Amino acid sequence: MITSRVALTAVSVTLLIAGCGSNLPSVADPPTSSPATVATTNAPGASGGWIGGEPDWAGASESDAGTKMYSGAVLPSVGPVPGPIQPVQPVQPVQPVEQPGLRAGSVDDNADFADFLAYLARIHDLGIATRDFDSTGRIVVAVTGTTGLPVAGALVTVTAGGAEIASLRTTADGTARFLPALYGATQATQATGAIEYTFTTGDASATAVPGSTVTLHATVVGGGPDPVALDVMFLLDATGSMGDEIGRLKNTIDAVAAQVDGFDSKPDVRFAMTLYRDQGDMFVTSTFDFTSDIGAFRAALNDVVAEGGGDYPEALEEGLASALSEPSWRDPASTLQLVFLVADAPPHIDRQVPVAYPAAVVDAVSRGIKVFPIASSESDDQAEAAFREIAAATGARFVFLSYGALGAATGESTDIAATDYEELPLDALVVRLIAEELAALSGTNVEVPPTTLPPVTNPQGQ
């Protein structure tokens, strides 16, 4: 692993404006998962609430016949109680146990893309399967305004041979990433350089070949409005394997919501969450719609129970599709849109789903939505590969719980070494990532709350 990935500092900083293939063995996507944009409800006035009603958090599922589920515990069915009734003993109050906060690191695979492709190729050689997701031939598109500031939310059309084949939206730093294979270009075609792509936004146009970078100079000013419209979605694996962390994740997300809401720049922030479990559980997905009422969001988060799942893979793809399509996302032309996916298992690539994650990525890229996966404790090589593909394609960092000396939540075959990242409290890291996005979009400085250095810091220069 080349150690040029820039580590995040762990002191109070003022952020400035940001500038800007694998041959993995794959399970073919179903025909319904071909690249297509999922329609959104786009109702800016939404005030939150569970879409379709609050889910049943616990109870008998198809895989739990003969048992009853309650608050994360599996209890046997209760019949007649034999023998004399015993006197009721007084219940002793349970003293709350303070859980240690979660710590995490992150890497930016777009900063060293050749190294990322080498990692994916090695994962392929080891026989680790993912969906058909070819990251080779990436073209980075940058859109700048008349002042030199990035243009976020710019609609970029991509044509080849005179036919439009894709549309992209730039993210906060004015960039978008085009992966030709996701739109039908084969590796053989890319290798010959036979295809030249044209990128157009407004009256600016330029051409590029796979593996290059293209800059479009738009006739708009660039930067962002004041205040910045910010939609933050938390996509959470709520299966039983997350039970040991869900309480601490609640505290983390609660802290993130409070800190972002308290930024000096006062962004127009709304929060939403989509939960997913798996087929046969009490629910597969459930979404709490976007709301600017932080108290209501935090109250809903507090009710979340981790339960179900059964096997290792989970309904991640169904969850991602729901997170992108169900809530009332605002206009992507004028809103910073972020998804934080917290999970410890890969998707079920062994089954067909309406929207597989490559198609969900195409949808996210067409709307300028960044997806930051946060890998939790049980993540393996298959989960890490899928998470990093999603993050890199949408322009986000791959985040993973670190657990200090116990090792990071990555696969056994990862190329991420301890010197490639700096360990921070998870809430501080997520707040910093959001602050960086705001700074890039608005062109203003965003003060990030100070963090505490871990007991062991990285070598000088990391």
Side-chain angles (χ1 to χ4, degrees):
M1 161 71 66
I2 299 173
T3 59
S4 62
R5 294 187 171 105
V6 179
L8 295 172
T9 59
V11 295
S12 178
V13 296
T14 297
L15 297 174
L16 301 179
I17 301 171
C20 171
S22 70
N23 296 317
L24 292 175
S26 61
V27 177
D29 295 336
T32 51
S33 68
S34 58
T37 298
V38 178
T40 65
T41 55
N42 194 27
S47 57
W50 293 101
I51 297 175
E54 183 171 352
D56 292 329
W57 296 113
S61 64
E62 294 176 13
S63 58
D64 296 312
T67 67
K68 293 181 179 180
M69 308 284 286
Y70 182 72
S71 298
V74 181
L75 304 176
S77 298
V78 178
V81 179
I85 298 175
Q86 301 297 320
V88 177
Q89 300 297 320
V91 177
Q92 299 298 321
V94 177
Q95 298 299 321
V97 178
E98 184 175 350
Q99 296 291 331
L102 297 172
R103 302 185 70 84
S106 71
V107 294
D108 181 3
D109 283 318
N110 278 295
D112 195 346
F113 202 66
D115 202 33
F116 175 54
L117 294 181
Y119 157 76
L120 293 177
R122 184 164 53 81
I123 290 296
H124 159 66
D125 291 340
L126 293 172
I128 298 166
T130 69
R131 291 285 189 193
D132 186 7
F133 197 112
D134 182 3
S135 297
T136 61
R138 178 204 64 170
I139 301 174
V140 178
V141 185
V143 181
T144 60
T146 56
T147 61
L149 291 175
V151 180
L155 178 62
V156 178
T157 58
V158 186
T159 57
E164 180 177 330
I165 60 172
S167 64
L168 324 171
R169 285 273 183 187
T170 55
T171 55
D173 63 356
T175 66
R177 282 133 295 275
F178 173 69
L179 304 183
L182 286 184
Y183 303 89
T186 64
Q187 285 190 351
T189 302
Q190 294 183 53
T192 62
I195 294 183
E196 185 174 69
Y197 298 93
T198 300
F199 301 87
T200 304
T201 183
D203 55 1
S205 182
T207 59
V209 296
S212 62
T213 298
V214 61
T215 300
L216 301 174
H217 299 284
T219 56
V220 296
V221 174
D226 185 18
V228 173
L230 171 64
D231 283 351
V232 179
M233 157 64 72
F234 289 97
L235 174 56
L236 306 178
D237 178 346
T239 58
S241 63
M242 292 289 289
D244 61 337
E245 290 167 342
I246 200 72
R248 289 183 289 174
L249 284 169
K250 288 180 185 179
N251 293 336
T252 293
I253 296 172
D254 184 78
V256 168
Q259 291 181 70
V260 173
D261 188 49
F263 276 167
D264 290 342
S265 58
K266 298 298 181 185
D268 175 16
V269 61
R270 304 187 310 163
F271 293 95
M273 96 182 117
T274 291
L275 312 175
Y276 67 89
R277 290 181 176 173
D278 207 354
Q279 299 293 336
D281 290 333
M282 291 301 297
F283 63 87
V284 178
T285 71
S286 186
T287 296
F288 186 88
D289 204 1
F290 280 108
T291 180
S292 57
D293 185 340
I294 305 304
F297 173 77
R298 293 162 74 175
L301 175 66
N302 190 56
D303 289 338
V304 174
V305 174
E307 201 168 79
D311 57 1
Y312 178 55
E314 310 295 1
L316 185 156
E317 291 174 307
E318 293 92 325
L320 182 55
S322 293
L324 295 177
S325 64
E326 291 181 358
S328 54
W329 292 92
R330 287 179 285 189
D331 185 353
S334 57
T335 307
L336 175 58
Q337 302 179 109
L338 308 175
V339 174
F340 289 92
L341 162 61
V342 186
D344 65 353
H348 263 289
I349 64 171
D350 57 326
R351 67 187 182 207
Q352 290 192 345
V353 293
V355 183
Y357 76 81
V361 164
V362 168
D363 180 33
V365 170
S366 74
R367 295 157 57 187
I369 298 175
K370 282 190 175 183
V371 182
F372 294 84
I374 302 176
S376 297
S377 58
E378 301 298 324
S379 299
D380 65 359
D381 285 320
Q382 187 181 48
E384 180 185 345
F387 293 164
R388 290 173 70 176
E389 286 174 330
I390 293 169
T394 61
R397 296 179 74 95
F398 168 56
V399 182
F400 45 89
L401 300 187
S402 55
Y403 296 105
L406 298 180
T410 52
E412 293 182 357
S413 303
T414 188
D415 64 340
I416 300 173
T419 53
D420 290 330
Y421 65 92
E422 187 160 18
E423 182 184 294
L424 295 172
L426 179 59
D427 61 333
L429 177 53
V430 173
V431 168
R432 185 177 300 279
L433 293 172
I434 295 174
E436 289 175 340
E437 295 296 308
L438 285 168
L441 177 66
S442 66
T444 60
N445 298 330
V446 177
E447 187 74 15
V448 180
T451 59
T452 303
L453 286 169
V456 179
T457 58
N458 293 328
Q460 184 176 3
Q462 299 299 320

